[in-house]
Amino acid sequence: MKKTITRRSVLKGSAALAATTAFAQPLRAAPPAPEAITPALIEAAKKEGKCSFYTAMDLEFAERLGKTFEQKFPGIAVRVERSGAERVFTRIAQEYQSNIAAVDVANTADQAHVIIWKKEGWLLPFLPQEVVENYDKTYYDPEGFEVVTRVLVSPFGINTNLVKMEDAPKSFADLLDPKWAGKMVKAHPAYSGTIMNATFQIARDLGWGYLEKLAKQRVLQVQSATDTPKKIALGERAIMIDGAGYLVIRNKEAGQPVDVIYPAEGTPVATSPSVVFKRAPNPNAAKLFQSWMHGREGQQLLVDFARQYSAHKQTVEKPGVRKLADIKLMKEDPEGVEKGADEIKRRYGQIFRV
């Protein structure tokens, strides 16, 4: 793996810039009033004609989301810029350091990024009316700076041609069995926000000593949470330690020999928020896309096509997927990740020699 830029260093220049330029954002006195999708907003968005969407979603779904929006609102093009959450975060920081405002809406798999963006004063307070009406308050910022677009779980995955379900590991402790040496794949926290959160939760709950033992199992290292499902689907590894559980489910539904396992100690979880940037070059298109994406239509697409969990109360789960309430989850801690991300990357790199 290439050496990554730290969060501290990438934001150092941004903080100085924010103090002297239009990127600075004064403190607000009150949260914004909820805003509905109106004909006036649609017309204003059409005049802008485009929306740039930086996202950590898998590319296939991000493009499906964009194309569906374009069909709903002809004349507005969605430009999808997909990368791992850490890369999305770094790119936006570097653009803002260079006084470039290119991003309209961003989706990340790491809540800690939003903490930093808020501190930097880069976000626009905007609350879609449908979010206020259909989301529990735990899934959106009352000040309007973020809405949780999807809830991501990071379970184990297996190739059922290489390991039978009854013989598969059922816990993190089981992964230390010598019989799994050289047969596992794990993603890297320096690239993926989902994996940053998963690694943080594993290290917190099981200890860094556990990861040191796991490293002795000759675990294949890949970048993204979307890469580990590919490795088991191709049969290159038998077991996925962490990654996009929804992709394993999608692959299984497509007939591939894969399945998910929710570890006994708890499954890592990450809520994935989306934000509108204060200096969005297409502010009306940004508001329209943010509203539609978190409305019933956009969120049902998330459930039906992406096979991810939605916070929208009117979405309907498809049969055959375990309900989020029925999964024992580890606890998300965005503040802990925000404070410890650079140390997590450093220590993980040392342990796994990447």
Side-chain angles (χ1 to χ4, degrees):
M1 298 286 176
K2 294 182 179 179
K3 184 178 180 180
T4 56
I5 301 173
T6 66
R7 298 189 186 199
R8 184 175 293 111
S9 66
V10 87
L11 289 171
K12 187 176 181 181
S14 305
L17 182 68
T20 58
T21 71
F23 283 89
Q25 176 172 302
L27 294 175
R28 294 183 308 99
E35 296 185 38
I37 294 177
T38 63
L41 177 62
I42 295 172
E43 285 306 308
K46 286 184 177 180
K47 288 180 181 179
E48 293 167 351
K50 57 184 177 296
C51 176
S52 62
F53 181 43
Y54 290 21
T55 182
M57 295 174 177
D58 69 280
L59 183 60
E60 185 180 9
F61 174 63
E63 290 184 339
R64 172 68 69 91
L65 195 68
K67 293 300 181 184
T68 305
F69 176 84
E70 291 172 354
Q71 292 170 4
K72 179 79 174 182
F73 303 101
I76 308 172
V78 178
R79 179 169 62 86
V80 173
E81 298 286 345
R82 194 275 162 189
S83 191
E86 288 293 301
R87 298 284 177 84
V88 169
F89 172 79
T90 300
R91 175 175 175 174
I92 292 171
Q94 290 174 333
E95 287 179 351
Y96 269 47
Q97 285 177 10
S98 301
N99 206 17
I100 296 171
V103 57
D104 289 312
V105 177
N107 167 262
T108 175
D110 190 344
Q111 282 276 2
H113 293 161
V114 178
I115 294 175
I116 295 171
W117 288 333
K118 284 179 66 174
K119 288 179 180 178
E120 295 297 312
W122 293 349
L123 302 182
L124 179 74
F126 174 67
L127 270 177
Q129 183 173 313
E130 193 166 349
V131 167
V132 176
E133 292 174 349
N134 293 287
Y135 285 58
D136 186 271
K137 291 182 179 180
T138 58
Y139 290 109
Y140 66 90
D141 181 1
E143 294 184 303
F145 289 113
E146 65 160 294
V147 180
V148 170
T149 309
R150 54 210 181 110
V151 181
L152 305 169
V153 295
S154 190
F156 298 164
I158 62 169
N159 181 301
T160 53
N161 284 342
L162 300 178
V163 54
K164 296 180 181 178
M165 181 62 80
E166 57 267 29
D167 298 327
K170 304 301 191 298
S171 68
F172 282 99
D174 290 345
L175 299 180
L176 301 182
D177 191 314
K179 69 181 179 181
W180 304 125
K183 298 179 180 179
M184 296 181 286
V185 58
K186 186 185 183 308
H188 198 292
Y191 181 88
S192 167
T194 301
I195 304 306
M196 169 61 76
N197 280 271
T199 304
F200 171 87
Q201 291 165 29
I202 293 168
R204 178 197 62 200
D205 293 359
L206 305 181
W208 281 102
Y210 171 80
L211 287 170
E212 291 171 353
K213 294 176 183 177
L214 186 66
K216 296 177 181 178
Q217 291 283 70
R218 305 194 309 279
V219 178
L220 174 65
Q221 296 290 312
V222 294
Q223 282 191 328
S224 175
T226 64
D227 289 336
T228 48
K230 295 174 185 176
K231 293 299 181 183
I232 60 169
L234 292 170
E236 294 181 17
R237 287 296 185 273
I239 299 167
M240 173 185 97
I241 296 174
D242 55 20
Y246 61 88
L247 286 179
V248 180
I249 292 170
R250 279 160 58 178
N251 291 341
K252 179 183 178 181
E253 291 177 340
Q256 296 183 20
V258 294
D259 211 336
V260 295
I261 296 171
Y262 301 97
E265 297 91 341
T267 299
V269 61
T271 48
S272 173
S274 294
V275 299
V276 176
F277 278 81
K278 180 186 176 185
R279 294 196 67 211
N282 307 289
N284 294 294
K287 288 182 178 181
L288 182 61
F289 184 73
Q290 179 83 336
S291 292
W292 176 83
M293 179 167 59
H294 295 98
R296 172 69 168 75
E297 185 178 11
Q299 288 293 294
Q300 193 63 52
L301 185 64
L302 177 89
V303 171
D304 292 343
F305 180 80
R307 314 306 283 120
Q308 297 170 23
Y309 293 104
S310 168
H312 196 297
K313 294 178 181 179
Q314 293 184 1
T315 56
V316 179
E317 287 288 348
K318 290 177 69 175
V321 176
R322 187 178 298 191
K323 293 182 179 180
L324 190 64
D326 295 334
I327 302 173
K328 181 181 178 181
L329 299 173
M330 290 183 169
K331 185 178 180 181
E332 188 178 29
D333 181 7
E335 290 80 11
V337 172
E338 191 270 326
K339 293 176 182 177
D342 289 338
E343 176 61 16
I344 291 169
K345 295 176 192 177
R346 184 196 66 80
R347 194 163 182 178
Y348 186 91
Q350 286 184 339
I351 290 173
F352 286 92
R353 301 177 185 273
V354 288

